[in-house]
Amino acid sequence: MTDKDYDGAAEWAEHDMNLPANSRTSLRGADAADFGRELVERSRGGRPSIDPDAAPGERSPVRQVRLPRALDADLEAFASSRRRKPSEIMREALTEYLESHREAG
């Protein structure tokens, strides 16, 4: 999207958008402004670090890995069956792998 697109959307939202009169989810006036400010503040912080020793505002390092489709499907199914995120499973597996190989090495 361009600045022109954003400006057009803002103009529409501020002047032409019609909200249902009895809506329980639509915010208006000061409530809408407060919500918007809170949303902007939350968005500036980014994702919280997963490192318990990280300083405030410090981001966790990111690594990427390509997986064969079958392994990715296994990971997705495994994580889903345990109601966990694949990234949690991968961090746990890597930790276990490094610990076991460090002791053997």
Side-chain angles (χ1 to χ4, degrees), residues 73-86 89:
D74 286 347
L75 174 61
E76 288 287 343
F78 186 85
S80 178
S81 72
R82 285 157 180 76
R83 296 180 183 213
R84 296 178 64 196
K85 295 179 181 178
I89 303 297

Side-chain angles (χ1 to χ4, degrees), residues 27-38:
L27 299 175
R28 293 171 174 80
D31 290 337
D34 290 344
F35 178 80
R37 279 194 278 293
E38 181 183 327

Side-chain angles (χ1 to χ4, degrees), residues 29-103:
D31 290 337
D34 290 344
F35 178 80
R37 279 194 278 293
E38 181 183 327
L39 188 62
V40 168
E41 285 303 315
R42 283 187 296 179
S43 71
R44 289 184 180 160
R47 288 185 170 178
S49 177
I50 59 169
D51 185 350
D53 298 324
E58 185 179 355
R59 294 183 176 169
S60 300
V62 175
R63 301 283 182 190
Q64 293 181 331
V65 60
R66 293 181 186 269
L67 302 175
R69 284 188 179 101
L71 181 57
D72 185 60
D74 286 347
L75 174 61
E76 288 287 343
F78 186 85
S80 178
S81 72
R82 285 157 180 76
R83 296 180 183 213
R84 296 178 64 196
K85 295 179 181 178
S87 57
E88 294 176 71
I89 303 297
M90 292 170 59
R91 281 190 293 273
E92 184 178 303
L94 184 57
T95 299
E96 289 178 17
Y97 180 89
L98 292 174
E99 287 175 358
S100 69
H101 285 74
R102 200 174 286 128
E103 294 168 5

Side-chain angles (χ1 to χ4, degrees), residues 2-43:
T2 66
D3 286 344
K4 184 178 178 182
D5 295 326
Y6 288 115
D7 290 343
E11 182 69 24
W12 172 81
E14 292 175 9
H15 301 289
D16 299 325
M17 182 175 71
N18 293 314
L19 299 174
N22 297 321
S23 173
R24 293 183 181 173
T25 57
S26 299
L27 299 175
R28 293 171 174 80
D31 290 337
D34 290 344
F35 178 80
R37 279 194 278 293
E38 181 183 327
L39 188 62
V40 168
E41 285 303 315
R42 283 187 296 179
S43 71

